[in-house]
């Protein structure tokens, strides 16, 4: 290990450290301990199945949900929804962010508005959207897109704003046209910020998705765990929760974060 | 900024300044104008989209008969409880974890996992254990705030340059003294950033939790209004939620961060990027 | 080579990190693809075991009983009955009668992994 790196900076809770530990399977130990404690509490305190099921019961429920295709169906619904919303939000949000960010006055006027929209989270608009679009996937789609697009627009705007004007002027003075400027200065310069916005948006969006699914009740993991409450199916709730967690970790750490890291590695310093 | 600007008259500069101040209002005005125009032209039913006037009136109504105040207070109270618990436990646990490598390595996978399910994912399980009410909302907020504050505290503690700690130790400071004079101020920017972030997330999680199951509060008010197709109450509620979110961030948290962090000259690496 | 240990370490570390990110990305996409498409692939692979021999080469629409190994939930019923005309249960909750199932729909039904058997309707 190079002595140039300050030792205190090494032991961060970082994905790299996690990956290294994975090769040693050390990462499973804490979970094993957790499951053991869970089992101990369940048996020791004599808790009924209506309050908390044992790890064995939960695992059996997991197997059942997989073999009956329920889990993959509901998980697929959620994944497809978040994927579609992410694509749409990027396709629409980045251009808007560019358009707003390029002009100083536009940026200034939109900043407060975007913060406000962020404050009124997509979930708060759910009852209104339900009135407009009914209890269907369209409502979930609308709410999640709203939740995703605001951070993306905001961060794109910031990304464009922080590009030093010298770069733009330099290329301009060399005769670059609008398109050239966009692809060679604006896009690469704003890209790290855009990806940060994507990451933030996915965090907000996934939570909004689960909440929306709970209320709209037409498929998805949120629907799965919330409906299970009606019948006190604690095993299903727990399986659902674990799957939600695992899927988010996969999407965030194995898809979005690598995109972020690769973008920074390729295109420069993240102003963090 | 242009390198060469023609000298502008004082009046012109003042006008520019005023315009600059007023610009943030532009999108809001645009939305209101579009709303009013749409309403005039299409005349949608009140349940779908009420007029601006109707929304203003309803705000006056619910403020007048105390419902608004009661709901806002209920929500804010839950936020206060949950966030304080979250901050307290987060900072304490964060310090314990940040200072001892063994704990940090052990807890790291667990924290990542439970952070992934923080907030409303616990709702179905917790409804059974805590019932519908303040306890449930407080739990959801605590959960959300705890993980954010915890992770930021751990980061802050670990990022305090060891050189400083060693230096103070070499001068004869004890464990506690080191913590108080070096580690705590050093980690403070991150802790405060975590608190600010956590409160933002916490407020959103609270509204979501109240939407799904609470006897009172802003989220519940909106949800109940949805059942009766009272779009005016829903819109009013949403706007108020947004205003409170901004007010909280602007007037409480930002000044705190300014007074402590910037006054003590601590540099925040975690500069706020994005919302 | 590079002038000093720091430089060597910095250059040494860069490429593996880059590769590691691509690896993580590939793993992530793979896992998600598994969740999305896995069951369908498993179903297609085992489709042969599901169809009753009498239904193997349908000449036109057939009438079948779709048998499940468990009590169907709302999602299962909705999915199965979308492939034909629902004609009631066949004695038990996990036996669903379908009429006028086209050969394409029959193949699709056979490719569902959680369907136990498809028998001809007598």
């Amino acid at each position: 290990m190079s002595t140039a790196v300050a030792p205190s900076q090494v032991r961060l809770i970082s994905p790299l450290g996690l990956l290294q530990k994975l090769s040693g399977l050390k990462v499973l130990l804490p979970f094993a301990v957790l499951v053991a404690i869970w089992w101990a509490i369940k048996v020791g305190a004599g808790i009924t199945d209506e309050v908390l099921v044992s790890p064995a019961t939960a695992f059996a429920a997991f197997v059942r949900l997989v073999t009956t295709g329920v889990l993959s169906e509901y998980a697929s619904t959620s994944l497809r929804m978040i994927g579609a919303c992410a694509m749409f939000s990027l396709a629409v949000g980045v251009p808007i962010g560019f358009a707003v960010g390029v002009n100083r006055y536009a940026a200034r006027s939109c900043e407060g508005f975007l913060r406000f929209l962020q404050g009124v989270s997509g979930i708060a608009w759910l009852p209104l959207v339900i009135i407009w679009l009914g209890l269907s996937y369209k409502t979930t789609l609308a709410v999640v897109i709203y939740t995703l697009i605001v951070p993306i627009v905001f961060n794109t705007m910031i990304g464009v704003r922080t590009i030093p004007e010298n770069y733009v002027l330099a290329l301009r003075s060399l005769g670059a046209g609008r398109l050239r400027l966009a692809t060679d200065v604006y896009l690469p310069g704003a890209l790290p910020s855009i990806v940060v916005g994507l990451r933030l948006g996915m965090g907000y969006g996934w939570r909004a998705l689960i909440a929306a699914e709970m209320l709209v009740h037409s498929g998805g993991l949120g629907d799965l765990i919330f409906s299970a409450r009606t019948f006190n199916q604690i095993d299903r709730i727990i399986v659902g929760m674990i799957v939600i967690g695992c899927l988010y970790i996969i999407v965030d750490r194995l898809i979005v974060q690598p995109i972020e890291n690769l973008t920074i590695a390729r295109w420069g310093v993240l102003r963090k | 900024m242009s390198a060469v600007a023609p000298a502008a008259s004082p009046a012109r500069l003042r006008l520019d300044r005023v315009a600059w101040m007023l610009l943030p209002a532009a999108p809001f005005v645009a939305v209101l104008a579009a709303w009013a125009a749409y309403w005039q032209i299409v005349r949608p039913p009140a349940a779908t989209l009420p007029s601006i006037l109707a929304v203003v009136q309803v705000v006056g109504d619910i403020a007048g008969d105390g419902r608004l105040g009661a709901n806002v207070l209920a929500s804010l109270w839950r936020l206060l409880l949950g966030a304080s618990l979250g901050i307290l436990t987060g900072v304490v646990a964060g310090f314990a974890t940040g200072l001892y490598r063994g704990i940090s390595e052990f807890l790291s996978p667990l924290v990542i996992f439970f952070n992934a399910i923080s907030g409303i994912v616990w709702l179905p399980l917790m409804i059974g254990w805590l019932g519908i009410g303040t306890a449930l909302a407080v739990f959801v907020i605590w959960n959300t705030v705890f993980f954010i504050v915890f992770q930021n505290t751990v980061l802050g503690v670990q990022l305090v340059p060891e050189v400083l700690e060693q230096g103070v130790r070499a001068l004869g400071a004890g464990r506690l003294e080191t913590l108080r004079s070096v580690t705590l101020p050093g980690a403070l920017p991150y802790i405060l950033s975590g608190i600010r972030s956590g409160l933002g997330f916490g407020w959103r999680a609270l509204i979501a939790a109240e939407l799904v199951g609470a006897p009172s509060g802003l989220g519940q008010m909106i949800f109940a209004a949805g059942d009766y197709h009272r779009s005016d109450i829903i819109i009013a509620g949403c706007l108020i939620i947004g205003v409170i979110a901004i007010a909280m961030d602007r007037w409480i948290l930002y000044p705190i961060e300014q007074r402590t962090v910037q006054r003590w000259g601590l540099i925040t690496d975690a500069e706020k990027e994005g919302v | 080579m590079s002038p000093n240990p720091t430089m060597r370490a910095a250059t040494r570390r860069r490429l593996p990190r880059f590769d590691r990110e691509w690896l993580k990305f590939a793993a992530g996409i793979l896992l998600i693809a598994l969740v999305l498409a896995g069951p369908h692939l498993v179903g297609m692979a085992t489709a042969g075991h599901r169809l009753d021999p009498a239904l193997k080469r349908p000449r036109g629409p057939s009438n079948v009983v779709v048998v499940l190994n468990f009590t169907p939930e709302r999602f299962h019923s909705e999915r199965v009955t979308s492939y034909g005309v629902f004609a009631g249960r066949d004695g038990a909750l996990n036996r669903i009668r379908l009429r006028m199932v086209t050969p394409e729909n029959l193949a699709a039904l056979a490719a569902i992994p959680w369907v136990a058997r498809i028998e001809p309707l007598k």
Side-chain angles (χ1 to χ4, degrees), chain A residues 36-175:
Chain A
I37 298 179
W38 171 8
W39 216 323
I41 296 181
K42 157 84 176 164
V43 172
I47 303 179
T48 65
D49 262 357
E50 285 196 342
V51 175
L52 179 67
V53 299
S54 73
T57 320
F59 185 71
F62 172 71
V63 173
R64 219 178 330 124
L65 284 173
V66 169
T67 55
T68 58
V70 173
L71 194 59
S72 78
E73 165 71 15
Y74 282 83
S76 299
T77 306
S78 293
L79 283 173
R80 269 186 242 127
M81 181 67 75
I82 197 82
C85 293
M87 302 283 172
F88 183 85
S89 300
L90 277 174
V92 173
V94 170
I96 294 182
F98 263 99
V100 172
V102 170
N103 182 314
R104 211 159 44 110
Y105 299 101
R108 161 103 180 148
S109 66
C110 286
E111 192 181 326
F113 185 61
L114 285 170
R115 280 195 203 273
F116 179 75
L117 288 182
Q118 187 78 53
V120 187
S121 66
I123 289 302
W125 292 114
L126 249 182
L128 193 61
V129 182
I130 289 181
I131 292 182
W132 289 349
L133 297 176
L135 284 174
S136 73
Y137 74 92
K138 293 189 211 130
T139 309
T140 315
L141 195 73
V143 168
V144 176
I145 286 181
Y146 172 100
T147 311
L148 257 168
I149 214 171
V150 173
I152 288 180
V153 172
F154 195 93
N155 277 273
T156 308
M157 191 179 83
I158 289 188
V160 172
R161 294 266 76 217
T162 52
I163 296 174
E165 198 158 355
N166 296 329
Y167 293 8
V168 181
L169 292 174
L171 246 75
R172 274 256 195 85
S173 71
L174 291 172

Side-chain angles (χ1 to χ4, degrees), chain B residues 34 57 69 79 107 131 141 176 209 222 245:
Chain B
Q57 272 178 340
L79 182 70
L107 286 185
I141 300 174
L176 210 57
I222 296 183

Side-chain angles (χ1 to χ4, degrees), chain A residues 9 270-272, chain B residues 155 159-161 186 189-190 193 257 261 266-273:
Chain A
Q9 279 177 314
L270 183 69
R271 286 166 207 81
K272 242 214 159 124
Chain B
L155 200 65
L159 282 181
V160 173
Y190 291 88
S193 169
E257 214 171 318
V261 172
L266 300 162
I267 304 165
T268 312
D269 277 335
E271 205 207 332
K272 279 254 96 156
E273 210 164 19

Side-chain angles (χ1 to χ4, degrees), chain B residues 7-268:
Chain B
S9 67
R12 179 74 205 272
L13 285 169
R14 223 174 301 134
L15 193 62
D16 272 343
R17 269 217 66 194
V18 168
W20 190 251
M21 288 286 117
L22 289 179
L23 264 179
F28 294 96
V29 169
V31 168
L32 285 173
W35 179 356
Y38 180 79
W39 195 83
Q40 283 290 0
I41 299 177
V42 177
R43 294 273 173 184
T48 310
L49 189 68
S51 68
I52 301 182
L53 190 60
V55 173
V56 173
Q57 272 178 340
V58 90
V59 172
D61 282 344
I62 53 180
D65 67 15
R67 270 191 294 162
L68 183 63
N71 281 320
V72 169
L73 278 175
S75 291
L76 285 177
W77 172 238
R78 292 181 188 131
L79 182 70
L80 189 68
L81 267 182
S84 333
L85 275 174
I87 294 173
L88 205 64
T89 48
V91 171
V92 168
F95 263 93
T97 309
L99 293 171
Y100 297 104
R101 195 136 303 167
I103 301 184
S104 149
E105 276 188 31
F106 180 77
L107 286 185
S108 169
L110 287 176
V111 168
I112 294 175
F113 177 74
F114 280 100
N115 191 29
I117 56 173
S118 72
I120 45 137
V121 182
W122 284 95
L123 207 70
L125 196 62
M126 282 302 162
I127 286 186
W129 295 359
L130 299 175
I132 290 183
T134 302
L136 182 66
V138 169
F139 175 83
V140 170
I141 300 174
W142 166 81
N143 196 290
T144 310
V145 173
F146 170 78
F147 281 102
I148 297 177
V149 172
F150 174 76
Q151 287 188 298
N152 274 273
T153 307
V154 170
L155 200 65
V157 168
Q158 288 179 332
L159 282 181
V160 173
E162 261 187 47
V163 197
L164 297 178
E165 288 171 346
Q166 286 162 355
V168 167
R169 282 281 189 78
L171 292 171
R175 203 81 214 257
L176 210 57
E177 182 66 32
T178 322
L179 268 175
R180 200 186 61 81
S181 59
V182 176
T183 319
L184 185 55
L188 204 56
Y190 291 88
I191 297 179
L192 287 176
S193 169
I195 292 180
R196 190 167 167 203
S197 214
L199 270 166
F201 270 92
W203 182 240
R204 300 154 61 91
L206 170 64
I207 299 299
E210 286 179 348
L211 261 183
V212 173
S216 68
L218 277 171
Q220 183 272 344
M221 183 178 92
I222 296 183
F223 188 59
D227 267 347
Y228 295 104
H229 283 238
R230 292 294 306 271
S231 305
D232 48 358
I233 297 185
I234 298 178
I235 296 183
C238 285
L239 296 178
I240 295 173
I241 290 175
V243 167
I244 294 183
I246 303 253
M248 233 178 18
D249 194 60
R250 207 111 203 276
W251 290 324
I252 301 182
L253 297 167
Y254 185 64
I256 292 183
E257 214 171 318
Q258 268 201 313
R259 296 247 184 80
T260 50
V261 172
Q262 284 164 21
R263 196 184 77 183
W264 292 343
L266 300 162
I267 304 165
T268 312

